[in-house]
Amino acid sequence: MCGIVGYMGCHEASPVIMSGLKMLEYRGYDSAGICTMDLGAVEIRRSSGKLVNLERLLNEQPLHGTIGIGHTRWATHGKPTVVNAHPHRGGAVVVVHNGIIENYLSLKEELLDKGHMFLSETDSEVISHLVDEKLKTATTLEEAVRLALKDLQGAYALCILSQRDDKTLIAAKSGSPMVVGIKGHEFFIASDMPAIIANTREMVIMEDGEMAVFRNGTVIFTDLDGQDIVKTPRFIDWSPMMAEKNGYPNFMLKEIHEQPQAVKNVTAGRLRPNEGDVFLEGLHLSDRQLLSFERLCLVACGTSWHAALAGKYMIEEHCRIPVDVEIASEFRYRDPLVSGKTLVIPISQSGETADTLAALREAKSRDAHIVSICNVVDSSIARESDGVIYTHAGLEIGVASTKAFTTQLVALYMLTIRLGRANGAINLEKGREMIAALNALPDLVEKTLLLDPQIEEVACEYLTSWDAIYLGRGISYPIALEGALKLKEISYIHADGYPAGEMKHGPIALIDREMPVFVLAPNDRHLVKVRSNMEEVITRGGRVAAFCSAGDEETGKRAEFSLQIPWAGEVLSAVLFAVALQLVAYNFAILKGKDVDQPRNLAKSVTVE
Ligand code: AGP
């Protein structure tokens, strides 16, 4: 959610932190702030709104010092105002925080009784006062932080400074991500790698319950009892270029256009055309082990949940294995039926989504075997899984997930092949066909992107609508859900996705001239039925844009628009329809003048429950 950056080194901290925060702005952009330490004094600048406001303030009132911490916020407790912006100060202590402190009210009451004065409505401010309170008895800042952390309940990634010790910066983590970049005696701390990748690619990934103490060009990692922990930096194989727009007007469009390459990346080195099979290096399960599971349980949130639902259609049909699809935030709290005979598959772009991570832990506590599908390498979900299928989509910065979704679909398709080959539901010939379809996919994604001008016309026509409906049957149903989510997220048009056959059971009452209906009508076994559903809409005066398969001149004849999406086979055509619907949402949002990379109220990875 929020983004954190810290710096200790030989350069002015403020510009280093600001450039890191810019890379994290996609994580939260309600307000922002920086604190630096100079000649034993801390100074703070904060502003509400996007980072550009903070940048303006810093131009007028620069900060100096070679130690500093910064934050860009996605509000949970307290409105996005300047007083609620981080860093927060309690006495001599300044804190930036990502996460939620669940017991902050009781802690606040205790601290108020002890004379602490609170300025903000946030849960985070309590941490600064708590550390300040502990400093009254502790001999060092490090000890005070350790004592304070033991009182906190909830999730946190923290950077802490104190005027009482102007040579020290402390970072700590429990439940929210935190990495430390090392470049000689310079240290870059961040909640996400993109913030610091331009400075160094040597990174230490902190684990829950760890603290990092930076002092005089050194770092020591400890646990909460003060025991040293040996951590070895890893070389992160990402190019800083991935975080640039490369000539595109925004990250979302860039990422939509990266999909042909992303599809190549997720399949690279994994296809075994002769064997009609795939090799998923992170799966770590033999055929015999795969056959030992009674059922699969796919668990995720948002767009990743839509991928999970599409996965159910793929796996049940092709492998004849029962698949449950679970919304992660519900799963954990409803005593789920998983056991050692269940293969649980959390799906997550970021690998840090708190709900999905909690669901993973719940499943693990019930002995389930966990294989996750993640994009971000070494993310918490990936690290806590028994196996991982990485989607290799590359860094996704646009808040609306695009290439992460299509690569998740491809990863699930490959998993389908693997499971089907293992249990014999997919024979050699079919396996080969499926691999051939995968090999053809990147070019077809490229062709789908060429539909953009036609899609822009559709968006122009329906631009004044307040609502929209997306219809699909079979695997097109989760794609319809995803299309609707994309439109809601970035254009703020209310949209719903329905199984086309469900229309007549209620939503059809909504049909009128103001409600565009986007019908997904690939040339699959559902086409005849989908055509009938489309007719039901048109008969009631509804306005339809039909997304058909290439060569199908018939289906869209009575629709206001008929777009022809390349055909990639029954399953993989879903990927192409998803791409087309991304362009629909994108064009609506751009024509309405919306910020597609940072839509209101959203954040890229949702690290609170
Ligand atoms: C995608 O457009 C959304 N912003 C959101 O639904 C996202 O997919 C969801 O929060 C899950 O994120 P994850 O894949 O990183 O776990």
Side-chain angles (χ1 to χ4, degrees):
M1 317 256 16
C2 311
I4 287 181
V5 183
Y7 175 76
M8 177 182 270
C10 45
H11 297 103
E12 285 280 17
S14 173
V16 177
I17 294 169
M18 181 50 97
S19 61
L21 290 178
K22 281 184 183 164
M23 300 311 304
L24 290 189
E25 202 178 11
Y26 68 103
R27 296 205 45 152
Y29 31 82
D30 292 335
S31 56
I34 293 182
C35 168
T36 57
M37 178 107 74
D38 192 25
L39 306 171
V42 291
E43 269 211 76
I44 298 176
R45 304 282 181 268
R46 302 185 294 179
S47 65
S48 60
K50 295 199 172 183
L51 267 181
V52 38
N53 298 346
L54 179 65
E55 205 166 22
R56 228 174 272 135
L57 180 66
L58 283 165
N59 284 339
E60 289 159 15
Q61 300 168 37
L63 284 174
H64 297 289
T66 56
I67 305 179
I69 57 182
H71 189 269
T72 174
R73 177 169 186 248
W74 185 85
T76 57
H77 294 59
K79 294 187 192 74
T81 56
V82 176
V83 264
N84 288 333
H86 299 223
H88 288 290
R89 180 171 187 163
V93 177
V94 182
V95 163
V96 290
H97 168 226
N98 183 12
I100 290 182
I101 303 305
E102 288 164 0
N103 60 336
Y104 82 102
L105 283 175
S106 57
L107 290 170
K108 191 170 176 175
E109 268 171 37
E110 285 169 29
L111 289 160
L112 282 167
D113 286 346
K114 289 179 177 149
H116 288 261
M117 303 265 286
F118 285 79
L119 299 174
S120 78
E121 305 156 305
T122 66
D123 54 327
S124 310
E125 189 184 355
V126 86
I127 306 168
S128 56
H129 289 278
L130 188 62
V131 177
D132 189 58
E133 182 62 29
K134 301 288 182 194
L135 265 177
K136 289 180 183 161
T137 49
T139 47
T140 60
L141 174 64
E142 189 181 330
E143 190 192 337
V145 171
R146 219 169 261 132
L147 291 170
L149 295 183
K150 289 188 173 164
D151 289 353
L152 298 181
Q153 286 163 18
Y156 57 78
L158 297 167
C159 279
I160 302 173
L161 293 176
S162 168
Q163 261 181 200
R164 294 262 303 271
D165 181 350
D166 66 354
K167 301 269 179 296
T168 303
L169 191 164
I170 294 182
K173 162 192 157 53
S174 179
S176 295
M178 189 72 118
V179 294
V180 174
I182 300 177
K183 187 178 173 190
H185 297 292
E186 254 185 313
F187 301 104
F188 306 84
I189 306 120
S191 49
D192 296 77
M193 290 177 192
I196 52 178
I197 196 91
N199 302 99
T200 177
R201 287 156 84 177
E202 296 290 332
M203 307 231 188
V204 172
I205 295 159
M206 290 180 67
E207 301 290 345
D208 284 353
E210 289 182 356
M211 258 174 66
V213 182
F214 304 89
R215 188 178 291 128
N216 293 332
T218 63
V219 58
I220 295 168
F221 293 92
T222 73
D223 63 17
L224 294 193
D225 294 319
Q227 298 299 314
D228 285 4
I229 300 172
V230 180
K231 307 273 294 178
T232 317
R234 301 180 195 187
F235 181 78
I236 301 301
D237 190 17
W238 274 7
S239 143
M241 282 298 287
M242 286 178 177
E244 302 292 336
K245 288 184 193 148
N246 290 346
Y248 285 94
N250 48 58
F251 283 109
M252 184 178 178
L253 192 63
K254 175 189 170 226
E255 287 157 8
I256 288 174
H257 281 267
E258 280 173 346
Q259 289 177 109
Q261 186 58 45
V263 169
K264 284 183 193 159
N265 293 349
V266 63
T267 54
R270 289 169 162 172
L271 307 186
R272 300 283 179 271
N274 290 338
E275 297 150 42
D277 206 340
V278 295
F279 170 69
L280 299 172
E281 68 289 347
L283 185 61
H284 303 312
L285 288 170
S286 65
D287 284 10
R288 197 177 53 78
Q289 287 168 311
L290 280 176
L291 294 177
S292 71
F293 299 114
E294 284 170 357
R295 57 196 310 110
L296 264 54
C297 172
L298 309 184
V299 59
C301 303
T303 288
S304 298
W305 185 82
H306 297 152
L309 190 56
K312 176 182 172 78
Y313 279 89
M314 297 181 202
I315 296 167
E316 287 194 340
E317 180 179 333
H318 292 281
C319 312
R320 314 308 297 157
I321 301 170
V323 180
D324 299 319
V325 177
E326 297 276 357
I327 300 253
S329 55
E330 292 291 315
F331 178 82
R332 180 183 177 194
Y333 296 105
R334 61 170 195 77
D335 202 3
L337 287 171
V338 294
S339 69
K341 292 272 180 203
T342 319
L343 175 58
V344 171
I345 306 185
I347 304 177
S348 174
Q349 185 287 127
S350 61
E352 302 293 350
T353 299
D355 289 321
T356 311
L357 187 57
L360 177 159
R361 289 175 180 161
E362 181 64 39
K364 235 180 168 179
S365 74
R366 291 164 190 257
D367 298 328
H369 189 88
I370 316 283
V371 172
S372 56
I373 295 179
C374 284
N375 187 36
V376 176
V377 175
D378 279 331
S379 53
S380 301
I381 291 174
R383 292 201 309 278
E384 294 192 26
S385 301
D386 301 304
V388 194
I389 303 169
Y390 282 118
T391 51
H392 298 308
L395 182 61
E396 190 180 68
I397 289 185
V399 164
S401 197
T402 52
K403 60 179 179 169
F405 178 63
T406 46
T407 52
Q408 286 167 347
L409 294 178
V410 173
L412 285 159
Y413 185 79
M414 289 192 292
L415 181 63
T416 304
I417 298 175
R418 184 73 281 281
L419 289 164
R421 293 297 285 135
N423 75 359
I426 296 176
N427 64 22
L428 176 63
E429 194 189 346
K430 189 166 168 209
R432 284 179 175 164
E433 264 172 38
M434 291 176 85
I435 302 275
L438 259 184
N439 273 324
L441 192 62
D443 285 349
L444 298 177
V445 176
E446 202 85 65
K447 286 200 176 109
T448 307
L449 292 170
L450 299 177
L451 292 171
D452 191 39
Q454 280 169 261
I455 291 175
E456 191 185 350
E457 276 178 44
V458 176
C460 270
E461 181 65 26
Y462 302 130
L463 200 59
T464 53
S465 307
W466 287 99
D467 307 274
I469 286 179
Y470 288 70
L471 298 180
R473 277 180 183 251
I475 198 168
S476 295
Y477 164 49
I479 305 304
L481 290 175
E482 173 59 8
L485 178 64
K486 284 287 90 82
L487 191 69
K488 277 184 277 212
E489 279 188 301
I490 59 169
S491 73
Y492 316 143
I493 295 172
H494 168 250
D496 277 321
Y498 295 105
E502 269 294 292
M503 268 295 278
K504 55 188 178 292
H505 298 289
I508 201 161
L510 297 168
I511 298 300
D512 63 15
R513 299 295 297 163
E514 308 302 319
M515 171 79 81
V517 180
F518 302 116
V519 178
L520 310 190
N523 194 6
D524 60 17
R525 84 194 86 145
H526 306 288
L527 182 58
V528 178
K529 300 285 178 207
V530 173
R531 276 186 190 163
S532 307
N533 302 136
M534 204 169 88
E535 279 304 319
E536 288 156 12
V537 173
I538 294 172
T539 308
R540 283 158 183 83
R543 308 181 69 186
V544 169
F547 292 77
C548 312
S549 290
D552 177 1
E553 305 295 341
E554 199 49 41
T555 302
K557 260 190 180 156
R558 299 225 313 127
E560 291 190 347
F561 291 92
S562 175
L563 291 98
Q564 301 209 349
I565 314 288
W567 177 248
E570 282 230 349
V571 179
L572 289 180
S573 288
V575 173
L576 307 180
F577 278 71
V579 171
L581 297 191
Q582 292 164 1
L583 289 172
V584 170
Y586 178 82
N587 277 292
F588 267 98
I590 292 295
L591 289 167
K592 279 175 159 287
K594 305 296 180 203
D595 180 342
V596 293
D597 283 342
Q598 296 175 355
R600 71 182 179 208
N601 302 340
L602 296 179
K604 183 65 183 166
S605 48
V606 183
T607 50
V608 293
E609 275 194 67

